[in-house]
Amino acid sequence: MTTSPPSLTTTAPAPGLRDFYEDPAVPVASGEDRSRRQARMLARALGPAGPGRPPATVLDVGCGDGSAAAVAARVLDGHRIVGVDWSQDALRRATRWLPQVVRGQLSDGGLPFASGSADAVLFSEVVEHLVDPDGALDELRRVLRPGGHLMLSTPNLAAWYNRALLVGGVQPVFSEVSLRRVHGRPGSQVVGHLRLFTARALREFVTASGFEVVRLEGAPFHGVPSPLRPLDRLACRLPSLSSILLVHARRR
């Protein structure tokens, strides 16, 4: 795998979004349960590293503070994980967990990696923040080797509680209409979601981007109130109702 120095990485997104994501108050980590489930899916796909099986190169694209990669590293023992993010603040925090971090982004020139240089990509709750998700998956497909693994997670627009909220005329959880404050939905923290998927839409989107969907699973959301968490975990048995969607896909 080849990387470019930070000075050769691509330009930053529009100033409004750049400033939003460089704000230390904006969350850059997700729940540990989701990270562990996703890492186990990838571990099953890669198998253990060892004699005759060299370590796989795994890019954690949109690594945030590196906490999700730290969870994955405990499951992906022996494999090499490289954190990638365009937020300098996030990368500074990620160095606590990851031996190698690289600044880069998915648009305006692409990631600073050679084509076909990665065995797998972790893309954990990033796609919902993107202006151009089609271009992003094109770029992830480029850096993956043929048959390489894409592990994508994103909030589910059709989560069990969102269906009830919509019936009552309430803005769904995970959706946002402003980068300044929350309007019309539960919660108080703005996280910058621009896109939301149902299980069907996500499967169709990933397939249309040149991947074969191997498996789709559900994961719970750490922000669900404690009394409702058993129900949220139960919903994971039917991914179309779960809080978080986990997709394992392979590059065609």
Side-chain angles (χ1 to χ4, degrees):
M1 180 183 68
T2 62
T3 64
S4 300
S7 61
L8 297 183
T9 57
T10 56
T11 57
L17 286 174
R18 180 187 64 218
D19 294 341
F20 177 80
Y21 288 115
E22 288 289 5
D23 183 350
V26 173
V28 289
S30 299
E32 184 169 329
D33 192 305
R34 188 272 302 154
S35 299
R36 189 181 302 108
R37 289 175 186 238
Q38 188 177 44
R40 286 172 177 166
M41 289 173 72
L42 181 56
R44 289 195 297 268
L46 292 175
R53 298 190 72 171
T57 295
V58 180
L59 305 181
D60 186 0
V61 178
C63 65
D65 66 359
S67 57
V71 173
R74 296 196 292 267
V75 179
L76 300 171
D77 187 34
H79 296 299
R80 178 180 178 227
I81 303 178
V82 180
V84 185
D85 209 296
W86 65 264
S87 168
Q88 291 280 36
D89 179 71
L91 289 176
R92 280 192 294 270
R93 286 183 269 175
T95 56
R96 294 181 303 164
W97 308 106
L98 292 169
Q100 184 178 1
V101 298
V102 176
R103 193 178 189 205
Q105 66 181 66
L106 292 161
S107 60
D108 299 328
L111 295 168
F113 302 98
S115 297
S117 59
D119 298 293
V121 167
L122 287 169
F123 202 48
S124 304
E125 290 165 56
V126 176
V127 70
E128 64 270 16
H129 298 271
L130 301 179
V131 174
D132 180 15
D134 303 281
L137 259 66
D138 288 345
E139 181 62 5
L140 296 181
R141 189 175 185 276
R142 180 190 69 80
V143 299
L144 280 169
R145 62 169 173 78
H149 305 279
L150 171 66
M151 312 301 296
L152 185 155
S153 68
T154 191
N156 182 10
L157 174 61
W160 60 275
Y161 41 80
N162 279 345
R163 298 181 186 219
L165 290 173
L166 278 169
V167 170
V170 179
Q171 187 82 9
V173 175
F174 309 124
S175 67
E176 294 181 329
V177 299
S178 170
L179 291 178
R180 296 178 180 176
R181 59 184 61 88
V182 170
H183 297 288
R185 70 158 171 82
S188 60
Q189 192 169 52
V190 177
V191 292
H193 290 176
L194 304 178
R195 309 276 182 178
L196 286 177
F197 299 81
T198 63
R200 177 184 294 183
L202 184 61
R203 183 185 290 274
E204 291 182 4
F205 169 66
V206 170
T207 301
S209 299
F211 293 87
E212 176 188 358
V213 174
V214 177
R215 188 173 180 83
L216 191 149
E217 295 186 7
F221 175 45
H222 60 277
V224 169
S226 297
L228 296 177
R229 288 179 185 174
L231 183 57
D232 194 41
R233 289 192 293 271
L234 183 64
C236 293
R237 298 182 181 180
L238 189 62
S240 62
L241 293 177
S242 65
S243 287
I244 306 296
L245 299 170
L246 307 178
V247 170
H248 170 208
R250 299 192 69 172
R251 180 193 187 277
R252 291 201 295 262

